[in-house]
Amino acid sequence: MKTIAVLTSGGDSPAMNAAIRAVVRIANDKGLRVLGVHRGYNGLINGEVEEMDRSSVSDIIHRGGTILRTARSEEFKTPQGREKALNVIKVLKIDGVVVIGGDGSFRGAQLLSELGVPTVGIPGTIDNDLAYTDYTVGFDTALNTALDAINKIRDTSSSHERVSVIEVMGRNCGDLALFAGIAGGAENVIVPEKEFSFEDICRGIFEGKRRGKLHNIIILAEGVGGAHKLVKKIEEVTGIESRATVLGYIQRGGIPSAFDRILASRLGAKAVEVLIEGKSSRVVGTKNGEIIDMDITEALSIEKKFNEKLYEISIALSH
Ligand code: ADP
C-alpha cells in the first residue's frame, strides 16, 4: 500500500471534513501518499484528483460540507462507468480507496472492491440509517441543529399557545426525530417505524390544554412527512392554532459538534489502518463506544433495528 485515494459521495454531512483530515494526516504519518478525489465517484471516473498533504487539510476541522465536494454519479452505477474508474485507479497507481458517504455510496464501494480495489467506507450521513454502526458521522450535529430550532420554536409556540409540528430529516430512519423529540421535550414523536394515531395526538393536545400547557410540540420524521397537511387537520379538529416548520437542509450543514469531530477522526484513522492491514471491502464504525471494522456486504445486510426502549421513554416523558 503506497497510495490511497479518499472521496466523499452522496449527501454531505457535518464532519466529513474532519474525516478527510484524519485520513490524510494518519496516512501521511504512516508514509502513504494521498490523492483527494473531487465530486465523489464522478471524480474517480474523470481522474479529478489532487495530491493532499498535512497542510491541504489545515483549518477544516470546524467546517461543514466537504472540501472535496460531493456528487451523485449515475455513471458509476453502470458497469462501464465502474470500468472507467478502475482504469483511472490503475493509471494513477491507487492501491486503496476510502469512501466517505451513506448506504448508496457504500454499495458503490462494495462493487469497486469486487473489481479488486481495496476499499473502506466511513459512514458519513445525518440519517443514522446504517445498522452496523451506533452512530454515523454528522448525525450528532444534525441532531443539535434540530434541537436548537426546536428550542426557538418552543418559545414562540408558548407565546402564542400554538401547536407546532416540526419536520426533521432522516429519510426512512426515525432516529433523528426520536432523539430530537426526547432532547427537545416534545409531546409527540412521529416516525416511519411506528404507526401513529391522529386521534391520540388530538386527545393529547386537549389534555395538555386542560392541564395548562402553553404549547404542544410534535416532531415529525421526514420518512412520514406531510407536516403542512398534518397541522391543517389538527387545526380543523382541535380548533387550536397550529404551525408547521420543515427544517430541511439547515440540518445538513453547519459547524460540526465535538462528538462528530472526534468520531470522524477515530474512523478516519481506523480506515487507514484497515487498508494498511491489507483488508479489503470493509466499513468502519462504532459499537458500544469501540471503533470496529466489518465486511461491507455483511454491514449492508444488517437490518436497522428501531430503538424501542428509547421510543417508550419518549412516550413516558412526553405527558
Ligand atoms: P448516500 O451515499 O448519501 O446514500 P446515494 O444513495 O445518492 O447517497 O449514493 C451516492 C452515490 O453512490 C450514487 O450517486 C452512485 O454514484 C453510488 N451508488 C449508489 N448506489 C449504487 C449502486 N447500487 N451501485 C453503484 N453505485 C452506487
Side-chain angles (χ1 to χ4, degrees):
M1 189 73 40
K2 287 200 183 93
T3 302
I4 64 166
V6 57
L7 62 87
T8 48
S9 165
D12 67 343
S13 72
M16 273 186 163
N17 278 330
I20 296 168
R21 175 178 177 269
V23 168
V24 171
R25 293 204 167 159
I26 299 286
N28 268 193
D29 266 3
K30 297 191 184 285
L32 300 180
R33 204 173 143 240
V34 183
L35 296 177
V37 180
H38 295 172
R39 300 182 190 84
Y41 291 119
N42 278 337
L44 213 48
I45 290 169
N46 301 322
E48 286 180 71
V49 299
E50 65 169 300
E51 177 111 23
M52 297 183 93
D53 61 18
R54 302 187 71 80
S55 57
S56 348
V57 288
S58 292
D59 221 17
I60 64 166
I61 193 156
H62 59 298
R63 286 207 213 137
T66 157
I67 59 161
L68 292 175
R69 297 187 286 288
T70 184
R72 296 200 152 91
S73 169
E74 282 309 310
E75 197 177 359
F76 193 77
K77 288 188 177 171
T78 66
Q80 295 81 358
R82 291 194 293 277
E83 267 315 308
K84 276 199 208 169
L86 184 63
N87 285 335
V88 170
I89 286 170
K90 281 183 184 155
V91 167
L92 296 177
K93 295 189 162 44
I94 294 168
D95 304 308
V97 179
V98 177
V99 173
I100 307 169
D103 64 335
S105 303
F106 280 10
R107 282 183 210 287
Q110 182 186 22
L111 293 171
L112 192 61
S113 72
E114 282 171 15
L115 295 175
V117 181
T119 310
V120 183
I122 297 178
T125 165
I126 65 162
D127 301 332
N128 213 38
D129 57 352
L130 290 160
Y132 78 93
T133 182
D134 287 342
Y135 295 105
T136 55
V137 170
F139 172 71
D140 182 69
T141 306
L143 171 61
N144 280 289
T145 301
L147 184 59
D148 184 47
I150 293 165
N151 291 338
K152 287 171 177 155
I153 292 167
R154 177 188 278 276
D155 287 346
T156 171
S157 286
S158 301
S159 309
H160 292 268
E161 299 176 69
R162 273 180 190 151
V163 173
S164 295
V165 173
I166 304 169
E167 186 175 315
V168 302
M169 281 184 158
R171 290 206 291 189
N172 292 321
C173 179
D175 279 19
L176 198 51
L178 177 59
F179 282 61
I182 292 180
E187 274 70 26
N188 282 282
V189 175
I190 305 175
V191 291
E193 294 90 342
K194 287 278 171 191
E195 288 282 317
F196 81 99
S197 150
F198 176 72
E199 287 71 26
D200 283 354
I201 287 176
C202 292
R203 257 192 298 278
I205 292 169
F206 284 133
E207 170 64 21
K209 194 93 185 156
R210 258 199 308 279
R211 286 178 26 224
K213 274 199 177 188
L214 292 178
H215 55 68
N216 196 290
I217 297 200
I218 300 168
I219 307 298
L220 175 69
E222 177 185 19
V224 179
H228 294 285
K229 262 198 206 147
L230 183 61
V231 291
K232 213 163 153 240
K233 243 172 110 184
I234 292 172
E235 268 190 349
E236 273 166 20
V237 172
T238 65
I240 297 171
E241 195 181 21
S242 307
R243 291 283 185 274
T245 310
V246 179
L247 296 183
Y249 283 109
I250 63 162
Q251 297 157 99
R252 286 259 293 269
I255 298 170
S257 67
F259 180 90
D260 273 334
R261 296 183 199 194
I262 293 164
L263 180 63
S265 300
R266 294 174 80 194
L267 294 181
K270 182 71 174 178
V272 173
E273 283 163 18
V274 163
L275 284 176
I276 290 173
E277 282 167 20
K279 292 182 182 168
S280 177
S281 200
R282 308 295 285 181
V283 287
V284 293
T286 177
K287 207 79 204 158
N288 304 323
E290 299 291 325
I291 297 298
I292 56 149
D293 67 295
M294 190 186 276
D295 178 72
I296 294 190
T297 308
E298 189 189 343
L300 287 175
S301 72
I302 304 172
E303 213 172 301
K304 173 91 184 170
K305 263 218 247 118
F306 185 63
N307 195 329
E308 299 286 344
K309 184 73 193 159
L310 212 50
Y311 186 69
E312 279 168 27
I313 291 173
S314 88
I315 292 172
L317 295 180
S318 65
H319 48 81

